[in-house]
Amino acid sequence: MKNLLLGGAAAVLLLVTTGCDKQPAGASNAPGGSEKIRIGFLVKQPEEPWFQTEWAFAQKAADENGFELIKIATPDGEKALAAIDNLAALGAKGFVICTPDVRLGPALAAKAQMAGMKFMTVDDQFVGPDGKIMADVPHLGMSPWDIGHQAGTLELAEMKKRGWKPEETAACVSSFDELDTAKQRTDGATAALIAGGFPKDRIFQAPNKTTDLPGSFDAVNVCLTQHPEVKHWLIVGMNDNAVLGGVRATEGRGFSPADVIGIGINGTDCQSEFQKPAQTGFYGSLLLSPNRHGKETAMLVYRWVKDGVEPPKETYIKSATLITRDNWQDELRKQGMLQ
Ligand code: FCA
């Protein structure tokens, strides 16, 4: 079994450290040079396997279509704004971005416009000064409410299978409402629980300070402390790391895997969890399509630059596959993420 990401991640680190201020080797855009089209791919959390996978697929699109991809890690606003200047200096004509903060949307859009660059968002949509999604910026992402709803439905089905009594069970929603896609996912999951008969007053919120595993761990830990009477927990979260953080918190408080059901979202950040010798409270994950997120967005911007074909304003991908310890390798293989 070979993880196709490992090679990609190593290449990325190299680019992140050397790629922004130098002309990439062998890619001169000087008169008479090869004149390859260059586009950027900026991501907020390069340490997350989700984004490494997106990058790897975008790189595949670049290799197959003869354009150059400049991958830049932009964990904060300053780096994101600087990245646009760097891209412009490198002669890039467009970029795909998953912004570190959706409220930076207007500033990033203005900067791109000044640099005459075409761009679209992936995963997280820009929010305008009125607090609404900037609907004029082309976007491709998953359909957050639907996928969250699917996660909630699956957790409830597993709870029923285990025969847990509702009065001994509670759900902890590891939430991050500042990010619309996160809020919609956890709202969708909550709606599914309620629609399936789960008591509304046994669904507790655990607001995260940061969207990573430690952020979720801390928040869920507080939630568990506040409700010591609960025997079985459902852990709801916006992605794999949110659910993994929650599951780690249950472990820290002595819950056995048999008393915890967590279903993540992404399917990319839980491979080591599934390789553990025994089942943990992380029951499964909804595998999205990092292939489409990475490849399709890179291609859309490439065609926009090359042929002037503007991407659709909204592309929401609704399909996701439940992966568990039993089928994760087969499903990842189908997406070309494992050999
Ligand atoms: C957001 C999350 C990522 C991934 C992506 C599709 O950006 O932070 O983990 O779920 O949406």
Side-chain angles (χ1 to χ4, degrees):
M1 176 181 70
K2 185 172 172 252
N3 190 321
L4 295 181
L5 291 177
L6 291 179
V12 158
L13 283 178
L14 204 72
L15 256 167
V16 167
T17 51
T18 66
C20 296
D21 53 358
K22 285 187 195 139
Q23 187 87 336
S28 162
N29 271 14
S34 59
E35 297 289 343
K36 265 190 181 180
I37 287 177
R38 285 183 185 156
I39 66 166
F41 205 115
L42 283 48
V43 305
K44 62 176 181 177
Q45 284 174 284
E47 74 289 355
E48 238 189 34
W50 169 261
F51 292 107
Q52 294 168 13
T53 317
E54 252 180 15
W55 260 346
F57 282 113
Q59 185 62 57
K60 223 169 161 217
D63 296 344
E64 286 166 8
N65 293 276
F67 62 92
E68 197 179 320
L69 193 77
I70 303 171
K71 303 190 265 294
I72 308 179
T74 54
D76 59 45
E78 219 174 292
K79 291 206 171 69
L81 288 163
I84 299 177
D85 285 335
N86 284 325
L87 284 173
L90 286 169
K93 296 281 183 286
F95 62 91
V96 179
I97 182 167
C98 181
T99 172
D101 181 347
V102 289
R103 289 163 302 187
L104 285 170
L108 293 167
K111 188 140 210 118
Q113 221 159 15
M114 266 163 57
M117 288 169 81
K118 303 188 160 60
F119 69 98
M120 72 178 291
T121 52
V122 67
D123 303 333
D124 302 354
Q125 283 182 279
F126 286 177
V127 169
D130 55 358
K132 295 206 177 93
I133 297 287
M134 290 171 64
D136 55 328
V137 175
H139 175 77
L140 183 146
M142 48 91 96
S143 184
W145 200 89
D146 295 302
I147 308 273
H149 194 270
Q150 202 179 332
T153 307
L154 288 163
E155 288 199 358
L156 200 57
E158 180 60 21
M159 170 190 159
K160 288 185 179 156
K161 210 165 112 193
R162 294 190 194 183
W164 294 353
K165 290 187 186 139
E167 63 275 18
E168 293 178 349
T169 306
C172 178
V173 182
S174 185
S175 59
F176 191 78
D177 288 357
E178 294 84 341
L179 179 61
D180 186 71
T181 183
K183 178 167 165 42
Q184 286 202 48
R185 293 177 206 186
T186 48
D187 282 356
T190 305
L193 293 182
I194 294 169
F198 195 90
K200 210 175 170 176
D201 58 356
R202 300 190 65 79
I203 303 177
F204 305 122
Q205 297 299 314
N208 292 197
K209 285 206 184 98
T210 51
T211 56
D212 52 11
L213 196 152
S216 178
F217 176 89
D218 291 345
V220 174
N221 215 4
V222 172
C223 180
L224 301 179
T225 315
Q226 285 168 343
H227 304 284
E229 72 292 351
V230 175
K231 282 197 179 159
H232 320 285
W233 281 103
L234 299 183
I235 304 291
V236 170
M238 75 113 150
N239 61 11
D240 287 342
N241 280 323
V243 174
L244 283 168
V247 167
R248 293 290 92 87
T250 63
E251 289 164 355
R253 303 195 69 83
F255 284 91
S256 103
D259 290 317
V260 178
I261 301 168
I263 296 185
I265 292 175
N266 279 0
T268 43
D269 309 25
C270 51
Q271 297 177 28
S272 50
E273 191 73 5
F274 291 145
Q275 290 178 63
K276 289 185 175 169
Q279 171 81 55
T280 69
F282 189 92
Y283 175 73
S285 175
L286 286 170
L287 173 63
L288 306 177
S289 179
N291 184 339
R292 288 194 61 193
H293 288 232
K295 232 176 166 172
E296 227 169 281
T297 50
M299 285 307 294
L300 284 167
V301 171
Y302 170 60
R303 293 217 184 90
W304 195 2
V305 168
K306 184 169 162 276
D307 308 322
V309 184
E310 199 169 325
K313 290 288 184 228
E314 286 176 355
T315 309
Y316 291 114
I317 303 173
K318 280 197 176 174
S319 58
T321 309
L322 176 66
I323 56 171
T324 63
R325 290 170 71 81
D326 298 334
N327 69 345
W328 70 275
Q329 296 191 19
D330 289 343
E331 293 301 329
L332 260 58
R333 232 172 248 132
K334 280 188 206 159
Q335 283 220 32
M337 291 156 61
L338 275 184
Q339 261 174 8

